[in-house]
């Protein structure tokens, strides 16, 4: 039967982590109720209006759905608002694709293949930035993580590396992997040795940082490859490993360091463009020069120089990149269900 056919989109040409999938259930009984009772439409008009209906992107991607939308893990769901059973329930699948060099060609190919008739798919573009994308990625990682599973720091490491190096096929390095360790030999990249994966110190540090960010709200401190860490312990490790120096964080206050760490990761949405240790040597050499300049500027912090401030770039300005998000809303199941519900109603 057409309605039970599995027809998920083929997303294999997209690097892992660049497409986020959302499913929102919707109760047609509730929608019908809203259109007839609240908006006062005749049933026939209501159905033709409902057919044209597409929830907003906020409604489709919100973590807390509102009537007539809902989320459930239940295999035999009922509407939480009116109790309606399966035949009244349908869903929208929404795919959020991050625009960028690694996804643009694949996205165009995918969109070309989609059926165009009857608004089976709706495509919405939205402007966002690398910071919002980063937090959404973290959020998704957290929602899909089983933090009680011992293996999850390894899984989170994989998700991080997939995003960091989208061109690498990570199946092999992670196949039957038992442990991830900091390499004392490598200055960049990674190597597999037996059942262990060794990461260059900067990759290892960032993997720990990601694990901390994902798990910190779930427990006291965050769960990482190095065990449970408080923020102080995390920062101490990142400092001793040389990571903070490497990315130019000189602050001592844990809160400030933490902010800077997030700024660093959130500055570029394509992480393979985040400076590696080799690049950051160049960057920090350049930074030293500009620090001298900045020192000169800040040495005369008189009200007079503050007046001129408008034309000067903020030294601490956080750079975020604009990112275009492309949402594909799959309305196929919705259209079919509306039709069958109306047929049984009329
Ligand atoms: Zn309902």
């Amino acid at each position: 039967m057409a309605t039970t056919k599995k027809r998920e989109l083929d997303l294999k040409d997209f690097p892992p982590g660049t497409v986020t999938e959302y499913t929102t259930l919707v109760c047609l009984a509730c929608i019908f109720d809203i259109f007839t009772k609240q908006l006062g439409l005749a049933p026939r008009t209501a159905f033709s209006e409902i057919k044209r209906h597409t929830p907003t992107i906020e409604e489709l991607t919100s973590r807390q759905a509102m009537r007539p939308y809902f989320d459930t893990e239940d295999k035999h769901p009922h509407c939480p608002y009116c109790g309606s059973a399966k035949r009244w329930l349908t869903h929208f699948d929404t795919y959020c694709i991050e625009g960028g060099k690694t996804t643009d060609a694949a996205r165009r190919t995918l969109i070309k293949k989609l059926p165009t008739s009857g608004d089976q798919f709706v495509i919405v573009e939205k402007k966002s930035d690398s910071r919002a994308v980063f937090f959404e990625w973290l959020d998704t990682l957290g929602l899909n993580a089983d933090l009680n599973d011992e293996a999850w720091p390894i899984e989170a490491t994989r998700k991080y590396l997939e995003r960091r190096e989208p061109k690498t096929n990570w199946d092999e390095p992670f196949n039957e992997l038992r442990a991830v360790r900091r390499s004392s030999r490598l200055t960049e990249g990674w190597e597999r040795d037996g059942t262990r994966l060794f990461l260059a110190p900067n990759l290892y540090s960032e993997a720990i940082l990601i694990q901390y960010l994902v798990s910190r709200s779930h427990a006291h401190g965050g769960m990482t490859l190095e065990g449970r860490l408080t923020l102080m312990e995390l920062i101490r490790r990142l400092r001793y490993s040389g990571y903070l120096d490497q990315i130019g964080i000189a602050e001592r206050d844990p809160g400030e360091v933490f902010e800077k760490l997030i700024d660093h990761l959130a500055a570029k949405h394509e992480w393979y463009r985040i400076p590696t240790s080799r690049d950051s040597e160049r960057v920090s050499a350049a930074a030293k020069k500009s620090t001298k300049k900045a020192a000169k500027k800040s040495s005369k912090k008189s009200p007079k120089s503050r007046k001129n401030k408008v034309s000067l770039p903020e030294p601490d300005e956080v750079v975020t990149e604009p990112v275009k998000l492309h949402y594909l809303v799959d309305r196929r199941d919705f259209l079919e269900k509306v039709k069958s519900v109306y047929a049984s109603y009329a």
Side-chain angles (χ1 to χ4, degrees):
M1 243 169 76
T3 44
T4 54
K5 198 167 67 187
K6 218 174 162 46
R7 45 183 187 187
E8 276 161 30
L9 300 187
D10 180 3
L11 303 169
K12 68 173 183 340
D13 291 337
F14 292 90
T18 57
V19 183
T20 310
E21 299 181 44
Y22 304 86
T23 294
T24 300
L25 280 95
V26 53
C27 172
L28 291 172
C30 279
I31 287 207
F32 189 70
D33 189 60
I34 292 170
F35 276 79
T36 54
K37 294 207 178 106
Q38 289 181 25
L39 302 175
L41 299 179
R44 195 192 159 84
T45 324
F47 269 114
S48 66
E49 283 300 315
I50 291 168
K51 229 166 45 181
R52 279 202 284 268
H53 173 76
T54 301
T56 63
I57 293 302
E58 286 69 28
E59 285 166 331
L60 290 168
T61 60
S62 160
R63 306 293 190 194
Q64 279 119 20
M66 302 237 302
R67 186 178 184 238
Y69 314 108
F70 64 100
D71 298 319
T72 178
E73 302 279 310
D74 201 334
K75 275 195 179 150
H76 305 283
H78 284 75
C79 171
Y81 312 106
C82 75
S84 285
K86 204 179 166 195
R87 80 179 194 94
W88 289 92
L89 307 180
T90 176
H91 64 270
F92 291 97
D93 289 327
T94 306
Y95 303 83
C96 175
I97 304 169
E98 282 176 43
K101 281 202 185 93
T102 54
T103 57
D104 283 346
R107 190 190 74 251
R108 284 187 204 110
T109 311
L110 173 69
I111 288 175
K112 253 185 232 162
K113 279 192 238 158
L114 299 179
T116 51
S117 65
D119 284 338
Q120 296 176 68
F121 281 87
V122 168
I123 299 165
V124 181
E125 285 180 9
K126 219 176 108 181
K127 279 186 188 144
S128 186
D129 60 53
S130 52
R131 198 176 178 90
V133 166
F134 174 59
F135 281 107
E136 188 65 19
W137 179 81
L138 277 183
D139 205 21
T140 305
L141 195 56
L143 282 172
N144 296 327
D146 178 4
L147 296 172
N148 298 318
D149 183 351
E150 270 176 32
W152 104 262
I154 291 180
E155 191 49 33
T157 303
R158 177 178 177 146
K159 291 280 189 288
Y160 155 72
L161 288 168
E162 283 175 344
R163 196 173 168 92
R164 174 63 120 143
E165 291 187 24
K167 292 207 172 93
T168 303
N169 178 358
W170 291 101
D171 288 346
E172 216 170 287
F174 276 85
N175 184 32
E176 294 186 30
L177 187 69
R178 293 283 174 76
V180 177
R181 300 257 189 276
R182 179 204 315 274
S183 172
S184 52
R185 209 175 61 77
L186 299 170
T187 54
E188 54 190 276
W190 50 273
E191 66 182 354
R192 171 95 186 231
D193 181 11
T195 57
R196 294 174 302 175
L197 180 69
F198 286 88
L199 301 179
N202 67 321
L203 292 181
Y204 185 81
S205 296
E206 281 179 5
I208 300 245
L209 178 57
I210 296 293
Q211 288 149 20
Y212 176 86
L213 288 171
V214 170
S215 61
R216 71 190 154 131
S217 55
H218 293 258
H220 178 66
M223 277 305 295
T224 73
L225 287 167
E226 310 245 301
R228 196 179 290 285
L229 299 180
T230 63
L231 179 60
M232 293 294 279
E233 288 163 342
L234 172 77
I235 289 174
R236 202 173 301 139
R237 271 161 218 250
L238 297 181
R239 179 167 284 129
Y240 287 147
S241 73
Y243 179 72
L244 296 186
D245 280 345
Q246 219 175 65
I247 62 170
I249 295 180
E251 279 76 1
R252 306 300 299 184
D253 176 69
E256 282 174 34
V257 172
F258 190 60
E259 283 302 308
K260 286 270 158 100
L261 284 168
I262 289 176
D263 291 347
H264 177 75
L265 285 176
K268 297 221 185 296
H269 87 287
E270 286 164 336
W271 282 357
Y272 56 88
R273 289 165 51 222
I274 296 181
T276 62
S277 51
R278 205 183 278 168
D279 293 330
S280 64
E281 272 165 35
R282 265 179 260 138
V283 172
S284 64
K288 263 177 208 153
K289 271 187 209 162
S290 62
T291 323
K292 265 186 205 165
K293 269 192 223 162
K296 255 188 216 168
K297 276 170 202 160
S298 62
S299 65
K300 41 172 185 178
K301 242 189 179 168
S302 62
K304 198 181 160 192
S305 72
R306 217 176 273 167
K307 255 187 213 164
N308 298 331
K309 209 179 164 190
V310 187
S311 59
L312 296 172
E314 286 280 328
D316 277 349
E317 194 181 359
V318 177
V319 185
T320 61
E321 269 186 340
V323 180
K324 204 181 236 180
L325 300 178
H326 305 263
Y327 292 91
L328 308 185
V329 185
D330 184 345
R331 303 175 78 245
R332 289 176 296 182
D333 191 72
F334 174 75
L335 288 172
E336 278 164 18
K337 267 286 166 60
V338 170
K339 209 169 145 192
S340 74
V341 163
Y342 184 53
S344 69
Y345 212 90

